[in-house]
Structures are given as C-alpha cells and as structure tokens.
Amino acid sequence: MSDQKFATNALHAGHDVTVNGGTRAVPIYQSTAYVFNNSDHAANLFSLAEFGNIYTRINNPTNDILEQRLAALEGGIASVVCSSGTGAINTALLVLLKAGDHIVASNSLYGGTYNLFSVTLPRLGITTTFVDPSDPSNFGKAVQDNTRAFFVESLGNPKLDVLDLKAISKEAKAAQVPFIVDNTVASPALLNPIEHGANIVIHSLTKYINGNGTALGGAIIDAGTFDWANGKFPEFTEPSPGYHGLVYHDALGPAAFIAKVRIEGLRDHGACLSPFNAFQIIQGLETLEVRMKKHSENALALAHWLEGRDEVTWVNYPGLESSKYKKLSDEYLPNGQSSIVTFGVKGGFESSKKIADETKVFSLLANIGDTKSLIIHPASTTHQQLDEAEQESTGVTKDLIRLSVGLENLEDLKSDLEQAFAGI
Ligand SMILES: *Cc1c(COP(=O)(O)O)cnc(C)c1O
C-alpha cells in the first residue's frame, strides 16, 4: 500500500476489505473488549508472543486502520491514535521522559502545548528551554546533559513561522535526542517532517485531518529512525518493570518506541481514541489532499486581497512574497501553505475585536482547520493573559486577527470581511 501515492493511501491504506466483511467503508468496531480463544491465547497476547486485540484502551480494529493510514501518509513505520492532539503529545512525552529530563522546544507553540511545557510538566520534574527557532543553532546551544527531546511545530500557530526542519534535525542528531515535530497545521498533505529528519510526528486529528469540526483526536507517528540504544534511553535497553521485564530495543528493534507508547502509554495514561471518533476522522482523512489544496488556494487569494485593503496595516501568510518565511515556505510547503492567515487593521485592539464580532460567514470560535471559515482575535480571547514579552515570542500582537480560511466561495468570504470592515 505505501508504494502508492498520497491520495490513494488516504482512501485505502490499512483497510483490507476481505477481513472486514467486504465493507467498502471502514466499519466501526464499537466493542470494549475481545473474546480470547482460551486462557493460553490470552497469555500469548499479553506476553506479545502473538499479536491481537485485548481491550480497546490498547487496540481496536477501527483505530488500527486509521493508525496504518496515518503511518503510510507520513512515511512512518507505525502510529498510535489518541483521544486528542494534547493526549498524543502527553502520551508521547510521558513514555519518553522522566523526572529530571529536559526538552528543548520552539518558542512559537500552540497555546495548550506551551502551557503543558511551561507549567504542568515542571510539576513532574520535566523542564523545557524555549528557543527562537528561526536560528536552528539555538537548539544545540540550549542542550544540557539531561536533554532528551527536541519539540517543534513545522508551521507555528499563530505566528506562521515555517521552520528549517532539516537544520534543526541536524542539531537533534548531534545531541542524540529524538526530534519531535507537531505537523498539525501543515498536515501530511502539504509536508512530511520525516523526510526532513523528524523521528516522531504528532498530529491533532481534530483540525485538518478530520476537517469537519466534529471529533477530537490525536496521533503519534514513529519514523522508526531513532537509535534508542545510544546510551541516553536505558528504559528501552534495560528490562522494563512496566512490562514484565521486556527489553523494548531487543524485542522490537526500530518499533521500540511506538510499541511502548501502545502497551505502556495507552495502558497507563488512558488517552485512547473512541472508535466512533476514529470512524469520523477516517471520513475526513479520505478527502484531505483536495481540501488542503483548496484551503491553501483560498487563503493565499484572501491574503493577497487583504494586502490591497486600506483598512489593513499588515498581512502574514507564508505564501506571500512579503512574508519573511517565503523562502522556507518555497522549500518546505511548495504545494500550499494551509489555511491560516493573520492580519492587523488600523485602530488596533478595538477595531480588530470588532471585526471578529461582525463577521457572519467567518465563525468566531477557537479552532482551526474546519471546512468552514473561522475567525478569532487572540489578544481579547485565547491569549488575553499573555504579558508583552510572551506576546512578542508567540507573535500575538494586540491587533492580530487570525483567520482559518475555509472552503466557501472566495467572493463570499471577501464580502463578509468587507461588511465587517465597514463597521470600524
Ligand atoms: C489544536 C492543536 C493541538 C491540540 O490538539 P487537540 O486535539 O485540541 O487536543 C496541538 N498542536 C497544534 C498545532 C494544534 O493546533
């Protein structure tokens, strides 16, 4: 399957109709547990002597199809789906890290992730140094003896900074730590971080991959390229007390990490995906490639149009000639730069807030990647508690309006913004 191209894999990978009752659509296996043939069979499943389903917190046939499909689309060896993007980030990090470990992360991260790293993980003894990702050498400079991961977003939200993944992956390689890339905003249809050196890819499936704004979900995809036996990760090379003495690296080779995510991470942290949500997300994933193309076309056209408006003081979209990320965007996102456009207007905070209140086609809400167009004024909503320095590093200025441009007719989107501009 994975020899086939993206659009084909998005529709078919992982679904063998001959073992699923001939169903053309992926069926929902809405079952909590699975009947064992006998006690020996159960013992074999628990000891990994045989692969099979045990309990839906660990594995489920509907989720399995989504997992195989995502691994094929990102070029990974395997994947584990989770209850949300946040669940995926937490599960990946808690499998990898322990108290005393350290992360080097980009300073332009999704707000929830930033909070996890800056407030919640330190309570567990896991600390983070945030660096300006525009200079990749900043990652290497922040490495400590206890550093065990690099974490970035391929396309930051809402700063829209395109990262030089190749250069950062070299820094991670030199530091001998896994390079984790949250690829939510680009989606696998526009960018595959594994091609540029990522070892682990994270997705919030809630956004573009589902695309309809109907289900939360997350995924961890393992490239299978990291050397867990390099001396920094004894949890993979010594007998695991969490799984009756299993030595992950010896038993599972390149799949050591993703196996541990499933059999210890899902088992102990429980951030598993409902099979119903997996089904819903599969419906969205089928059309991801065509949607990302249209999202990107609409967003670029609208960004150009905004640049020509008198009310508008600045526009940020990585596909614009005026963007300082245009060069990196040409390298990493040549087929489209996704749906997010940010801009400012004359009159600053008050005018921007009013525009977000006045649009009718663009819905005022905190989400991205829906087929419908969305708008938000972060300084008065999602980012209201940031101080000036945090506003600067996250790129959220007081006048910033964030659009997630949907698949509506472009002229209707322009008219909607035009009538909102008339009110300021
Ligand atoms: C939304 C988002 C997340 C969190 O995903 P949820 O599914 O909402 O938990 C993580 N990273 C990025 C870049 C996001 O946009």
Side-chain angles (χ1 to χ4, degrees):
M1 273 293 183
S2 51
D3 289 343
Q4 293 180 319
K5 301 282 190 291
F6 191 94
T8 313
N9 278 331
L11 288 156
H12 296 284
H15 181 33
D16 179 354
V17 295
T18 65
V19 299
N20 286 312
T23 55
R24 184 58 284 173
V26 173
I28 309 175
Y29 285 90
Q30 195 73 23
S31 181
T32 306
Y34 307 85
V35 180
F36 305 125
N37 301 337
N38 51 46
S39 300
D40 286 341
H41 176 222
N44 284 343
L45 295 181
F46 279 104
S47 68
L48 303 181
E50 221 180 295
F51 287 100
N53 299 319
I54 296 174
Y55 190 67
T56 282
R57 176 154 31 79
I58 318 288
N59 37 28
N60 172 278
T62 306
N63 293 14
D64 176 58
I65 291 169
L66 176 58
E67 285 162 344
Q68 290 189 46
R69 202 163 286 187
L70 290 167
L73 295 176
E74 280 291 13
I77 58 165
S79 123
V80 165
V81 289
C82 294
S83 53
S84 66
T86 307
I89 294 170
N90 267 291
T91 305
L93 293 178
L94 293 177
V95 164
L96 203 56
L97 307 176
K98 57 186 181 310
D101 286 349
H102 173 253
I103 303 167
V104 181
S106 155
N107 66 10
S108 79
L109 294 179
Y110 173 70
T113 310
Y114 182 81
N115 202 71
L116 171 69
F117 285 20
S118 61
V119 180
T120 305
L121 288 180
R123 284 205 337 251
L124 307 180
I126 299 166
T127 53
T128 296
T129 301
F130 294 99
V131 299
D132 174 358
S134 66
D135 179 355
S137 74
N138 286 340
F139 286 85
K141 285 179 201 149
V143 168
Q144 308 173 0
D145 286 346
N146 58 345
T147 302
R148 290 294 177 271
F150 282 10
F151 190 100
V152 305
E153 289 173 14
S154 49
L155 177 56
N157 165 24
K159 203 171 182 176
L160 304 180
D161 48 339
V162 183
L163 266 53
D164 189 348
L165 297 178
K166 268 189 213 120
I168 301 168
S169 82
K170 284 195 188 117
E171 300 282 330
K173 209 157 188 191
Q176 295 188 291
V177 298
F179 182 34
I180 308 175
V181 179
D182 179 335
N183 195 34
T184 299
V185 179
S187 94
L190 300 177
L191 174 66
N192 289 130
I194 290 172
E195 286 176 7
H196 307 293
N199 301 110
I200 296 165
V201 175
I202 301 281
H203 278 287
S204 167
L205 305 173
T206 315
K207 313 293 169 52
Y208 301 95
I209 289 181
N210 178 48
N212 303 298
T214 54
L216 277 95
I220 304 163
I221 298 138
D222 187 353
T225 50
F226 190 77
D227 176 16
W228 300 105
N230 70 7
K232 288 187 183 255
F233 297 89
E235 299 82 1
F236 290 95
T237 52
E238 290 169 10
S240 171
Y243 212 83
H244 37 75
L246 182 73
V247 180
Y248 280 92
H249 179 69
D250 296 351
L252 294 139
F257 170 74
I258 201 70
K260 196 168 193 228
V261 165
R262 183 179 304 286
I263 62 184
E264 292 194 33
L266 287 182
R267 185 197 61 192
D268 298 351
H269 302 297
C272 54
L273 184 66
S274 150
F276 181 80
N277 277 16
F279 168 82
Q280 195 73 19
I281 290 162
I282 287 167
Q283 310 313 304
L285 182 53
E286 290 189 346
T287 59
L288 183 67
E289 190 176 63
V290 281
R291 281 188 291 109
M292 291 316 290
K293 188 163 184 279
K294 183 71 179 168
H295 274 301
S296 302
E297 280 170 14
N298 267 1
L300 181 60
L302 203 63
H304 273 303
W305 178 80
L306 284 167
E307 276 192 320
R309 296 288 307 189
D310 281 345
E311 301 90 342
V312 174
T313 48
W314 59 269
V315 184
N316 184 17
Y317 184 71
L320 288 175
E321 290 299 331
S322 60
S323 165
K324 61 176 166 180
Y325 305 108
K326 178 72 167 81
K327 213 171 139 252
L328 284 166
S329 159
D330 287 345
E331 182 178 353
Y332 288 98
L333 296 163
N335 298 320
Q337 299 81 39
S338 196
S339 79
I340 304 179
V341 176
T342 60
F343 66 99
V345 289
K346 289 176 188 160
F349 185 92
E350 289 304 329
S351 295
S352 296
K353 186 165 173 239
K354 189 144 203 296
I355 287 168
D357 286 342
E358 294 290 317
T359 53
K360 296 183 173 63
V361 180
F362 283 87
S363 304
L364 173 61
L365 56 77
N367 192 17
I368 56 166
D370 197 319
T371 44
K372 293 135 209 127
S373 286
L374 316 174
I375 188 167
I376 199 155
H377 176 227
S380 63
T381 56
T382 52
H383 289 63
Q384 57 175 305
Q385 277 140 14
L386 296 192
D387 61 33
E388 296 262 326
E390 286 170 323
Q391 286 187 5
E392 172 76 31
S393 76
T394 55
V396 177
T397 50
K398 287 196 181 347
D399 61 342
L400 181 144
I401 297 170
R402 186 186 74 188
L403 304 177
S404 176
V405 181
L407 308 184
E408 296 92 343
N409 180 283
L410 183 63
E411 297 311 314
D412 290 335
L413 297 179
K414 289 181 191 167
S415 306
D416 191 36
L417 289 174
E418 210 157 22
Q419 65 81 27
F421 288 162
I424 61 171

